[in-house]
Amino acid sequence: MRLIAKRPILYGNKQYERGDRLPAFKAAYCQALVEAGSAVWEDEEITLPDKAPKAVPLTAPAGVAGLATPAAGCEPDLVGRVPSPKAQGAVKQKGKRAPKSKR
């Protein structure tokens, strides 16, 4: 059995929120919380799902692509990340090495 908070409780310089497990080492304290409706006794059954869901890693690109006018002047500055070469309109160039000669 464990004592679970039904509402926020401050005890022993620690703030317990709803659903947190409360310390149950003082019988009088536990009984007072249950009588006041601030906590309930709950069976300690742990049920695990058959198959745990897998996390999908997602990240946002850092910064914002675009132009911004700084507060000190009227020249536009780049903000955040640099746009991709495709967004910049870059054309793929051939390598500058001389081709290998066949012997």
Side-chain angles (χ1 to χ4, degrees):
M1 298 283 287
R2 59 184 180 169
L3 192 62
I4 304 296
K6 288 176 66 178
R7 60 179 66 126
I9 296 171
L10 177 63
Y11 178 71
N13 282 343
K14 186 172 179 190
Q15 182 72 37
Y16 296 94
E17 297 297 327
R18 292 181 190 98
D20 288 349
R21 186 176 185 168
L22 297 169
F25 52 85
K26 290 185 179 179
Y29 172 72
C30 296
Q31 183 180 359
L33 285 174
V34 172
E35 287 177 2
S38 297
V40 292
W41 288 104
E42 186 177 90
D43 289 335
E44 197 165 347
E45 294 179 17
I46 298 174
T47 57
L48 298 175
D50 294 338
K51 188 174 182 182
K54 292 195 174 194
V56 178
L58 294 175
T59 58
V64 178
L67 299 175
T69 305
C74 59
E75 292 293 321
D77 290 337
L78 279 176
V79 175
R81 67 180 172 88
V82 177
S84 68
K86 185 177 180 182
Q88 292 177 358
V91 179
K92 190 173 183 179
Q93 296 177 354
K94 293 183 180 181
K96 296 184 181 181
R97 277 190 173 169
K100 292 184 180 180
S101 61
K102 295 182 182 180
R103 290 186 187 189

